[in-house]
Amino acid sequence: MGKRSYGTFTIISVVLLLVVAVFSGIAIYPWLMNFLSETGIKSAYAPSKIVVIESVKAVQGGFILYVRNVGVSPVTVDRAYIELLGNGSLEEIVLSPTTLRAGELKEIAVPYYNVERGKCYRIKLTTTSGSIFSMIYEVLEISEYRWLLGWSYRKPHEIVGSTAGSVTNYQIKFIVHFGAGSDVGASVYLNGKCKSDFSDVRFTLSDGVTELPYWIEEKVDGDYAVFWVMIPSIPAYPDKTLIYVYYGNPSAKSNSDKESTFPYFMEVKRITLPRQTYAGQWFSFSFDNEFQAPPIVIAEPDQTFNEIRELRIRLKDITRTSFMIRQQEPSNRDDIHASEDVTYIAVPPGSWKTVVGEVKLEAGIFQTDKWLAGDGNVANDRWNTVNFSYNFSSPPIVLSQIQDFSYTGCAHTRIRNVDVSGFQTSPEPEGSVTTPPTTVVTVGWLAVEQHVSKLDGSTKSEAQVVNNVRHWWKTFHFGQSYSQEPNIVAWMQTYNGGDAAGLRGNNLSPTSFSVRVEEDLTYDWWDINHAYEDIGYFAVEYDGKYHLRKFIDPEPSHGSWGLEETFS
């Protein structure tokens, strides 16, 4: 029996084993080196490092990395990547470039707003030369850190409270200058250390990390920017609240946001009320914007006079998103009226100023059973007195309207005695109701300072008084020309004639409007004559959403500025 030969088989097996070993080494080596790098385990075979992350501290708003240059040449770290392990999410963070000399240890702040205790993160740093260095870090605790990560400079500033009392979510104006100067009042100078477009300017609470909403009203790059900042709480005088102004972050982008800075607004819109197909028909309209709470709605008079029969506009079911509206004729009519156009203005209760035009207005609401009589019985009139929260500089124009339909008869409101501190208003029934009703109704009102200017940067507006309007048409001209027919609301400011009366409008144009006082004929069908009344009106050029800022008098003021502080 011959011998078996193992030589060839042995040689082939050895070659195969060598091939497997080589390819396995090639596949395992990068993973092994990365593992050794991330876990901090050193290996005689690991490539030499340029930068090491010696330690990490998780803080509110990110990580503080203690980074050392272990190479022989300077290196600049310019970017970080944070990966939440097990989640797969990866966030790239552009850093302010940090240069480390050979052997130097520095803190590098990495903003990251989703740090969670008990989670593991892979943190990678890159340099301008393209090198990547990483480690895995488990967050066991999150430390308090009183600096906005990623920013190099800040200045402390005090806001002094008002003698009128404490306020919440109040908007304060700042003028931020790019160049050098003395910080005083609303003006702060950043000495050329912010971005020329001001996109890295931020505002925080006294904790140094809670950012405040802001909006840039206007700016000239490299010169100045006008900021509005919403501060959540300002105590009453003489107490103060501390905030910080941060700057010096080349990678920051602007967070200017008008909506979050000014959550309150006024909505203005012209609508067409359809012809009613039956008596008592209501129509639902939705606001273009959702309010935080049901607003006050003013929607008088009609602007088209498409039908001669007497008309009042009634409202009900006002919510944050919509309202019901109808045209109501007096009881001697069939209550089926032609289509008419009307403007509504919806405003939240409170004392306000428009953001850009700085037009002062105040709105309020109350319930009452105090009514006026219809025709011929003014001795039984009962008036409601309304006091403004803060005096106007001169008598404003005032508009009021019933906000519900608890009283189903034909009704409207009348106004008198308007001055800088308040006015009187009450609901009024049709003329045949000579004894004042006692039904409780809700009355909303709006006072607007007299002006001819703009509500914002482009929308013209005005509020003025037209004197001596009676039962025949009177055309008045606006204080400025409009690019189109403006939206307009109007109502009587006086009570010179005691007979029940409302207001009608017609012939609206970009330059003028016609109005007349209209009595109903339920008491004396032959008598339409009415005494002279003054008419207040509020015209706004375009439909739209007009942001409002809170207003108290006196307003909180700017206090002292602190010295510039540097991140270290």
Side-chain angles (χ1 to χ4, degrees), residues 195-453:
K195 296 174 69 174
S196 62
D197 63 358
F198 302 95
S199 60
D200 61 336
V201 175
R202 297 290 189 274
F203 301 83
T204 73
L205 291 178
S206 58
D207 64 7
V209 294
T210 303
E211 293 190 46
L212 301 176
Y214 71 89
W215 175 64
I216 300 177
E217 176 184 333
E218 63 172 292
K219 67 184 178 77
V220 176
D221 289 353
D223 189 359
Y224 74 92
V226 176
F227 285 77
W228 285 95
V229 182
M230 187 174 75
I231 299 177
S233 179
I234 303 174
Y237 180 86
D239 292 332
K240 307 169 184 177
T241 190
L242 177 70
I243 67 166
Y244 287 99
V245 181
Y246 278 86
Y247 50 100
N249 184 344
S251 62
K253 296 180 180 179
S254 177
N255 281 343
S256 176
D257 186 349
K258 193 173 187 179
E259 297 295 327
S260 61
T261 308
F262 301 99
Y264 298 100
F265 57 89
M266 171 176 66
E267 183 171 298
V268 180
K269 189 174 184 179
R270 184 183 307 159
I271 56 176
T272 297
L273 303 181
R275 183 184 187 279
Q276 292 159 279
T277 57
Y278 59 88
Q281 185 176 10
W282 288 88
F283 300 98
S284 178
F285 284 86
S286 296
F287 296 122
D288 290 339
N289 306 276
E290 183 174 349
F291 289 84
Q292 294 190 14
I296 288 101
V297 176
I298 302 296
E300 290 266 25
D302 68 304
Q303 300 167 9
T304 41
F305 199 71
N306 290 329
E307 187 169 327
I308 195 171
R309 287 184 293 183
E310 301 86 358
L311 174 67
R312 306 293 180 260
I313 305 298
R314 297 298 301 273
L315 304 167
K316 71 173 184 176
D317 298 343
I318 301 170
T319 71
R320 296 186 307 156
T321 58
S322 64
F323 64 98
M324 301 287 287
I325 187 170
R326 63 164 290 202
Q327 302 172 101
Q328 185 179 43
E329 295 181 348
S331 59
N332 62 332
R333 304 297 188 184
D334 65 6
D335 202 29
I336 298 176
H337 199 87
S339 173
E340 304 279 9
D341 288 352
V342 66
T343 288
Y344 73 79
I345 294 184
V347 187
S351 180
W352 313 101
K353 279 195 173 183
T354 58
V355 173
V356 178
E358 289 285 280
V359 174
K360 182 177 183 287
L361 50 89
E362 186 170 341
I365 194 168
F366 63 90
Q367 289 187 316
T368 184
D369 62 357
K370 293 181 178 180
W371 283 71
L372 307 180
D375 288 3
N377 201 5
V378 296
N380 291 330
D381 288 347
R382 295 187 299 161
W383 287 93
N384 299 275
T385 298
V386 176
N387 295 312
F388 299 131
S389 299
Y390 310 101
N391 286 359
F392 285 78
S393 58
S394 61
I397 67 102
V398 175
L399 309 162
S400 65
Q401 192 164 1
I402 301 170
Q403 305 287 289
D404 60 25
F405 201 62
S406 55
Y407 181 82
T408 58
C410 187
H412 48 264
T413 62
R414 295 292 295 274
I415 296 167
R416 73 175 186 179
N417 297 339
V418 179
D419 63 23
V420 296
S421 60
F423 64 99
Q424 290 184 304
T425 186
S426 285
E428 181 179 61
E430 64 180 33
S432 62
V433 183
T434 56
T435 299
T438 57
T439 304
V440 175
V441 294
T442 302
V443 176
W445 57 269
L446 170 65
V448 184
E449 73 172 328
Q450 294 194 44
H451 69 281
V452 179
S453 60

Side-chain angles (χ1 to χ4, degrees), residues 39 52 61 73 98 149 193 205 213 229 273 275 304 319 379 488 520 522 551 559:
T39 56
V52 293
S73 302
T98 301
L149 298 185
K193 296 178 181 178
L205 291 178
V229 182
L273 303 181
R275 183 184 187 279
T304 41
T319 71
I488 188 167
D520 70 73
T522 58
F551 175 77

Side-chain angles (χ1 to χ4, degrees), residues 119-156:
K119 302 289 186 179
C120 289
Y121 298 86
R122 177 179 282 109
I123 303 172
K124 295 183 179 182
L125 294 179
T126 66
T127 69
T128 52
S129 63
S131 301
I132 301 176
F133 308 93
S134 66
M135 69 174 299
I136 292 175
Y137 176 73
E138 181 180 6
V139 177
L140 300 179
E141 64 177 356
I142 299 175
S143 304
E144 182 179 355
Y145 200 75
R146 301 177 66 85
W147 193 278
L148 193 61
L149 298 185
W151 273 258
S152 298
Y153 310 100
R154 73 182 185 187
K155 287 187 179 183

